[in-house]
Amino acid sequence: MNSQYHKNTIAENGFTVINRIFSDNEIQRISEVIRNTDSSKETFRKSEDLFAIRQFLKEIPGLRDLIFNEKMKTVIRERFGDRYFVVKSIYFDKPETSNWYVAYHQDLTISVDQKKPMEGFGPWTARQSRFAVQPPLDILENIYTIRIHLDDTDENNGALKVVPGSHAKGIYRPETIDWSKETEEICPVEKGGIMIMKPLILHASNRTTNGNRRRVIHIEFSERELPAGLNWAEKMVIEN
């Protein structure tokens, strides 16, 4: 893993892909733990097109050591630094016949422990005692996302499409994309690989067309503490 290459690529393009972070055996063990978890909780979302688990690492704490193996901890330390901690985690399972697609967007909200109006934060949303808010731009710019792929993923089963460099343009409304100036890139990732991205990069995904499943663990990291009285909903320090 060429850490400087990936750091430069993330800074310039807003994303990078690193394959072979997890072995087939590690992916199998992670998959088994997820499969054997009680899915009746309110943080589990089930439909014909999508299965999702919010606050994933809180709901299945037994996965932490499997997910943060030595390769992952090295990636985090070398690409982000020693001060980064988990602030959000979600699991997505896009079934083989899924018609679920996601239009171009930026990830503009963070998960927090309460609603506390303060300058620069808003709009707010609340659902089932979970709170999300759009924070000031500098907080969003500090976040990195790692997407762990439990299946081979390409353009036929929902690999992300991105607009390279769009993470550096602040709040970028998708309806204003000028395709005469911007380009679209599809980001295939092998089973056991990861995609690192900045949440401000414009990204989207298509419906599944090849009958292949797509399972992804989405984890966000920051090194920033929030203003007094407001805390990350899922803060988790990674043990060295």
Side-chain angles (χ1 to χ4, degrees):
M1 296 184 293
N2 187 325
S3 61
Q4 192 58 50
Y5 166 80
H6 289 293
K7 287 180 72 171
N8 292 344
T9 302
I10 296 167
E12 181 177 351
N13 294 330
F15 74 98
T16 196
V17 172
I18 311 174
N19 287 311
R20 294 180 292 280
I21 296 296
F22 296 89
S23 68
D24 286 347
N25 182 57
E26 287 173 316
I27 293 297
Q28 182 178 346
R29 291 168 64 196
I30 291 169
S31 301
E32 286 175 354
V33 174
I34 295 171
R35 187 167 56 249
N36 294 324
T37 297
D38 175 13
S39 62
S40 63
K41 300 178 182 180
E42 65 179 18
T43 49
F44 289 62
R45 173 183 175 180
K46 290 172 284 186
S47 72
E48 291 183 359
D49 291 323
L50 183 71
F51 173 59
I53 307 172
R54 296 194 175 276
Q55 299 189 2
F56 177 68
L57 293 173
K58 272 190 173 183
E59 292 291 359
I60 315 180
L63 279 175
R64 293 176 186 176
D65 288 343
L66 289 173
I67 288 173
F68 295 107
N69 65 14
E70 288 306 314
K71 284 188 176 180
M72 267 284 282
K73 289 192 285 190
T74 297
V75 165
I76 293 164
R77 183 173 60 252
E78 292 185 353
R79 276 70 176 182
F80 311 162
D82 293 327
R83 298 175 56 193
Y84 273 77
F85 46 84
V86 174
V87 295
K88 182 188 288 187
S89 59
I90 310 170
Y91 169 75
F92 298 103
D93 180 350
K94 197 173 187 178
E96 294 88 339
T97 58
S98 176
N99 285 319
W100 181 272
Y101 75 96
V102 180
Y104 268 108
H105 66 286
Q106 297 173 299
D107 293 337
L108 295 176
T109 63
I110 60 173
S111 296
V112 294
D113 63 338
Q114 62 178 305
K115 182 176 181 179
K116 184 174 183 180
M118 56 181 61
E119 185 177 355
F121 286 76
W124 290 80
T125 59
R127 185 178 181 183
Q128 298 173 331
S129 300
R130 298 193 304 274
F131 303 93
V133 64
Q134 182 171 325
L137 186 62
D138 63 303
I139 292 176
L140 291 173
E141 290 174 336
N142 183 252
I143 296 172
Y144 289 91
T145 298
I146 293 181
R147 294 167 57 90
I148 303 167
H149 284 249
L150 306 186
D151 304 287
D152 289 324
T153 308
D154 60 23
E155 66 273 18
N156 298 309
N157 66 329
L160 283 193
K161 305 181 295 183
V162 301
V163 178
S166 55
H167 68 296
K169 299 181 180 181
I171 305 302
Y172 193 158
R173 300 300 177 190
E175 62 270 17
T176 68
I177 299 174
D178 183 349
W179 289 111
S180 68
K181 298 179 180 178
E182 303 285 18
T183 59
E184 176 181 275
E185 184 169 339
I186 297 172
C187 306
V189 185
E190 296 175 7
K191 174 183 176 181
I194 64 173
M195 178 177 178
I196 305 175
M197 56 183 273
K198 299 296 287 180
L200 288 174
I201 192 170
L202 282 162
H203 57 285
S205 65
N206 289 337
R207 295 178 174 87
T208 298
T209 59
N210 64 356
N212 291 339
R213 191 178 189 183
R214 187 203 73 177
R215 295 168 297 160
V216 173
I217 298 169
H218 170 116
I219 307 176
E220 297 179 13
F221 303 81
S222 177
E223 62 176 351
R224 294 280 299 275
E225 296 295 348
L226 299 174
L230 197 62
N231 299 296
W232 299 101
E234 300 179 60
K235 181 177 179 179
M236 190 191 87
V237 176
I238 303 161
E239 300 296 334
N240 291 325

